[in-house]
Amino acid sequence: MLTFVGLGLYDERSVTVAGRDAIRDADRVFAEFYTSRLVGTDLETLEDALETTIEIRDRAGIEQDPEPILAAAESEDVVFCTAGDTMVSTTHTDLRLRAADRGIETRIVHGTTAQTAAGSLTGLQNYRFGKATTLPFEDAHGGDGVPDSVVATIEDNRDRDLHTLVYLDIKVDDPHWDDSDDTYMTASHAADLLSESFPDTLGVVVARAGSPDPLVVADTLDELATQSFGEPLHLLVIPGSLHPLEADALESLAGADLE
C-alpha cells in the first residue's frame, strides 16, 4: 500500500487526524518539501509530533528515482507526505500512476490547500477562481519580468470576470540556486513584477495561511509592492470583478478601499 498524505498548510498540527493515523501506522514514511514547505515547523518537531521517522526525498529522488518508495510499497505500508494537499502537484500524480502500474494499491488522505485557504481568508467566492498560475523568480525562467504565460492566464481570467490565484516561487533543493538568495518569493516582489503589466489593478495578499496569525491585505499592485508582509509563505490573488459581498469582505477583512 502507498498512501499519499497531505500535511496541511503551516506546522505539525495542520495534518488531519486521518493523516496522522496513517503516518503512525506506516512501516516507512517518505516526504518531499521542494514543492511547498511547512514553514511553521521543522523536521525534528514534525517527527516527534507524528511519532515516526521521515525519509526526505529531493526533486530528483521523486521525479527521476522513485524506486526506493515504490519498492518499499510493494511489501510494506508506505506513506508519502507533502505540504498542502498531496495531489496538487503533477509530480505526485506521476508517482501514484507508477505505483498503480506495478499493482501497488494507493489511497489519498487530503490536506488543506492554499487555494481553498485563499478563498476562505479573503472572502472571495471559491467557484469564481479561474486557472491558477505560478510566478517564478526571474533567474529561474531565464528571462526578464513576468513570463507571457502568467500574463495570459491573468488576462484570460479577468476577461471572464474570474479571480486568479498566483502561487509564488519557492527555491528549495535546487542545485542552480544560491542559498544566499531569497528562498521564498515575497508578495511585494510579486506585486512589483505584475504591476508593470497590470497597473492600477487590485491585488490581495495572503500571508501565512493556516498559521495562528494569517495576514490578508488588499490594495493596488503598485501599493502592495511597497509594503512588507512578514514571514512566508505568501500568495497573491488578482481578482476579477467583485460581487457586492466579495467587495464588502475585502473591505472588512483585507482593508480594501472600495473607491
Side-chain angles (χ1 to χ4, degrees), residues 43 100 193:
L43 180 61
L193 290 174

Side-chain angles (χ1 to χ4, degrees), residues 191-205:
D192 184 51
L193 290 174
L194 290 171
S195 63
E196 183 174 346
S197 299
F198 301 98
D200 301 318
T201 297
L202 178 67
V204 187
V205 172

Side-chain angles (χ1 to χ4, degrees), residues 99-119:
D101 286 343
R102 293 169 64 151
I104 299 168
E105 185 178 356
T106 65
R107 69 183 180 114
I108 299 171
V109 181
H110 296 285
T112 307
T113 68
Q115 182 165 1
T116 55

Side-chain angles (χ1 to χ4, degrees), residues 24-35:
R24 289 177 177 175
D25 291 343
D27 297 308
R28 293 178 70 179
V29 179
F30 296 87
E32 67 82 358
F33 294 114
Y34 62 84
T35 54

Side-chain angles (χ1 to χ4, degrees), residues 178-217:
D178 186 345
D179 287 341
S180 65
D181 292 327
D182 290 335
T183 300
Y184 306 98
M185 181 182 287
T186 65
S188 54
H189 185 177
D192 184 51
L193 290 174
L194 290 171
S195 63
E196 183 174 346
S197 299
F198 301 98
D200 301 318
T201 297
L202 178 67
V204 187
V205 172
V206 178
R208 297 173 297 285
S211 76
D213 60 342
L215 178 68
V216 183
V217 179

Side-chain angles (χ1 to χ4, degrees), residues 63-188:
E63 298 179 1
Q64 300 173 29
D65 183 27
E67 180 60 25
I69 299 174
L70 297 172
E74 286 183 318
S75 60
E76 299 176 290
D77 286 331
V78 172
V79 163
F80 175 70
C81 301
T82 65
D85 184 89
T86 186
M87 280 299 150
V88 170
S89 172
T90 54
T91 294
H92 310 145
T93 303
D94 177 72
L95 182 61
R96 189 183 186 199
L97 294 176
R98 288 172 184 259
D101 286 343
R102 293 169 64 151
I104 299 168
E105 185 178 356
T106 65
R107 69 183 180 114
I108 299 171
V109 181
H110 296 285
T112 307
T113 68
Q115 182 165 1
T116 55
S120 299
L121 289 169
T122 61
L124 297 174
Q125 296 166 2
N126 185 63
Y127 71 90
R128 297 197 60 229
F129 278 80
K131 178 183 176 181
T133 189
T134 298
L135 181 61
F137 285 108
E138 292 176 283
D139 289 348
H141 68 88
D144 295 323
V146 179
D148 292 342
S149 60
V150 175
V151 174
T153 295
I154 297 172
E155 287 180 339
D156 182 58
N157 285 338
R158 285 168 59 82
D159 286 344
R160 295 185 292 149
D161 284 338
L162 299 176
H163 313 316
T164 306
L165 177 59
V166 183
Y167 295 102
L168 307 186
D169 204 0
I170 298 173
K171 286 301 165 192
V172 178
D173 296 330
D174 187 336
H176 306 293
W177 198 256
D178 186 345
D179 287 341
S180 65
D181 292 327
D182 290 335
T183 300
Y184 306 98
M185 181 182 287
T186 65
S188 54

